[in-house]
Amino acid sequence: MSEPSSGEPLSAMPASSSDATVTVSASVPDLRWGTDRETTYVGALASALSVTAHPFTYDELMAASGLAFRTRWWRGASGADQQFCPSSPVGEFPREMARLDRAIGWVQQVDVRFDQPGGFPDRLDDIKGSIEAGLPLLAYNQNINVGVVYGFQGERLMVKDYDHGDLLVRVEELGPMLIMLGDAGPPLGPDAWLKQALQGAVGDYSDEGYDSTKPGRYHTGAAALTQWMADLEHWREFEPDRQREMFHPHWWTFDCLYDARRAAARYLHAEGERLGGSLGVELHAIAALYEGLIKELGRSFRAKDVFLGPWTERAYEDWTDVVRADERSMLARVKAVDGEAATRMAALLSRL
C-alpha cells in the first residue's frame, strides 16, 4: 500500500492516432481501497469475471475460496532473517485458487516470476489475445497488489489498480504475477458452492498450516490466531528490527480479517434467504455470530486505538504494550467466534 513506481494515469495519456485502443468492456468495475474488497486477488477476480458469461460477487468468491472464514499468519523459522511477512492474509495462493477453479468453472493459469523482475514482455501477445477474446486478466502491480488488465493501447496495457485507479503501463512494468483465464467449464451450482464454502471454513480452522518456500510457516485457523497472539505477548523479546517488521503485517492481516468476516456474514445471510427453512435459520444464526464479532473488531475504525493501520492516523511509535494487550484480547474473541462458527458449520454440513 505504497506509491507505485511506474505507470501513468489513463486520463493523462490520450491515444494517438497510431495507437489502436482495444478494451474488454468499459464496465469492468474499478478497484479501490475501503470498498469491502480488501483482498485484492478476489476483488480483481470479481471485477474481471463481471464481464464474462458467469459473473460472481466478491462475497461469493471469498466464501468459495475459504478466504471469508480464514485467518493466516506467517512466522519465520527460528533464526531466519525474516520473521513476519505481509503475505500472511493474501488470497493468491494455490489452495484458494484451486477451490475457486472448481467453483467458477475457469482454470486460472498462473505465471509467477519473483526471481525474474521486468514484467512479462514475452507474454504480450498472450495478454492482447486474451483481451481481444473478451477476457480480462489479473496481474500484480509494482506494489504487489492484484489488479485487472482490461485493455491495451498500442503497446501499453490498460490496468485497473487499487492504488491509482486506471493506469497505462508497459508490460515490463507489471509486477511478478500474471493470472489468465484458461479453459472454461460449468460453474458450481449454489448448493455445491455453499457446501464447498462450509467445508473450506471448517477445514481451514482446524488445519495447522504448512511450510513456506522461504524459511518459515503459514499458520492457519486456530493455530494462526494462537501464534499471532503469542507474538504480540512476546513482542519485547524480539530484536528491534523484528519488532518493527511485525507492525505492517499485523495491521494489514487485521484489516483483511475484518473485511473477510464482513463478506462471510453477507454471504451466509444471502444463502439463508435463498434456502429458507431450518437450514436458512441456522445460516442466519452463524452470520449473526460474525456480525457480533465485526462490531467488536470495528473498534479499530471507530476509536482508532487498536490495530493501528493508516485509517487510525497512528504510527509504529503508538504501538504500546497496552495496545498490544487489547489486541490480544480481540484476537482471542476472533478465535472463540471462529471456533463456534466452525462447529456449527460442521454440523450443518451433515444436513446438506
Side-chain angles (χ1 to χ4, degrees):
M1 299 178 67
S2 59
E3 295 295 313
S5 58
S6 61
E8 296 289 342
L10 187 57
S11 60
M13 300 288 290
S16 71
S17 59
S18 60
D19 278 346
T21 298
V22 177
T23 62
V24 173
S25 170
S27 62
V28 174
D30 292 336
L31 301 173
R32 296 189 303 274
W33 297 114
T35 58
D36 293 334
R37 288 184 166 205
E38 297 294 277
T39 299
T40 65
Y41 160 60
V42 178
L45 183 61
S47 180
L49 292 175
S50 70
V51 296
T52 70
H54 297 290
F56 298 101
T57 68
Y58 179 82
D59 296 344
E60 290 167 338
L61 297 174
M62 287 289 286
S65 64
L67 291 166
F69 315 99
R70 190 197 74 179
T71 304
R72 195 176 65 181
W73 181 249
W74 186 83
R75 187 68 154 79
S78 178
D81 290 339
Q82 185 177 0
Q83 289 298 309
F84 304 102
C85 182
S87 68
S88 288
V90 304
E92 56 272 19
F93 271 66
R95 178 159 62 186
E96 289 76 18
M97 285 187 173
R99 289 172 178 170
L100 283 176
D101 282 349
R102 290 193 296 272
I104 66 178
W106 294 95
V107 176
Q108 298 172 85
Q109 299 174 343
V110 184
D111 191 344
V112 182
R113 301 183 181 183
F114 278 100
D115 58 343
Q116 301 176 40
F120 296 86
D122 57 318
R123 301 294 305 275
L124 181 58
D125 288 344
D126 295 334
I127 293 169
K128 287 185 172 182
S130 182
I131 292 165
E132 289 172 334
L135 295 177
L137 52 146
L138 312 186
Y140 274 153
N141 61 18
Q142 291 294 314
N143 299 340
I144 316 300
N145 293 315
V146 185
V148 179
V149 183
Y150 69 99
F152 61 87
Q153 189 179 99
E155 297 299 298
R156 294 170 296 177
L157 303 177
M158 303 167 71
V159 178
K160 289 192 179 289
D161 175 89
Y162 263 83
D163 295 291
H164 285 74
D166 283 293
L167 293 173
L168 271 176
V169 303
R170 293 181 293 107
V171 68
E172 293 85 1
E173 295 173 321
L174 294 177
M177 177 180 281
L178 184 71
I179 304 173
M180 301 183 69
L181 297 175
D183 296 337
L188 292 180
D191 290 343
W193 194 288
L194 173 62
K195 187 172 184 178
Q196 176 170 301
L198 299 183
Q199 288 172 335
V202 173
D204 286 350
Y205 184 75
S206 59
D207 183 0
E208 294 190 355
Y210 48 90
D211 292 337
S212 55
T213 53
K214 58 186 174 183
R217 185 172 181 81
Y218 286 105
H219 302 275
T220 55
L225 289 158
T226 297
Q227 182 65 56
W228 191 356
M229 287 187 286
D231 289 337
L232 285 170
E233 183 177 6
H234 298 289
W235 179 86
R236 287 202 169 272
E237 300 171 18
F238 301 136
E239 294 293 327
D241 286 350
R242 301 288 78 76
Q243 292 175 342
R244 184 173 286 275
E245 181 183 65
M246 182 179 171
F247 184 62
H248 176 213
H250 171 70
W251 66 253
W252 170 231
T253 302
F254 167 81
D255 182 38
C256 290
L257 188 154
Y258 178 81
D259 171 82
R261 297 306 181 272
R262 285 167 63 88
R266 292 190 299 262
Y267 172 76
L268 293 173
H269 272 314
E271 286 298 282
E273 289 296 313
R274 181 180 69 85
L275 288 175
S278 61
L279 291 176
V281 169
E282 182 60 14
L283 286 168
H284 284 305
I286 299 170
L289 285 175
Y290 287 127
E291 287 179 327
L293 178 63
I294 290 162
K295 289 181 181 179
E296 295 181 52
L297 300 183
R299 171 184 166 186
S300 179
F301 301 94
R302 295 188 303 270
K304 302 182 180 182
D305 60 348
V306 285
F307 298 100
L308 307 180
W311 59 87
T312 66
E313 299 180 351
R314 304 288 185 92
Y316 173 76
E317 290 70 25
D318 301 308
W319 198 31
T320 64
D321 290 343
V322 172
V323 174
R324 284 187 291 275
D326 285 349
E327 291 168 345
R328 290 202 309 273
S329 296
M330 292 174 73
L331 292 177
R333 283 292 298 143
V334 174
K335 186 176 179 182
V337 171
D338 281 359
E340 182 179 354
T343 297
R344 296 181 73 157
M345 284 189 277
L348 190 57
L349 276 167
S350 66
R351 299 168 54 194
L352 293 177

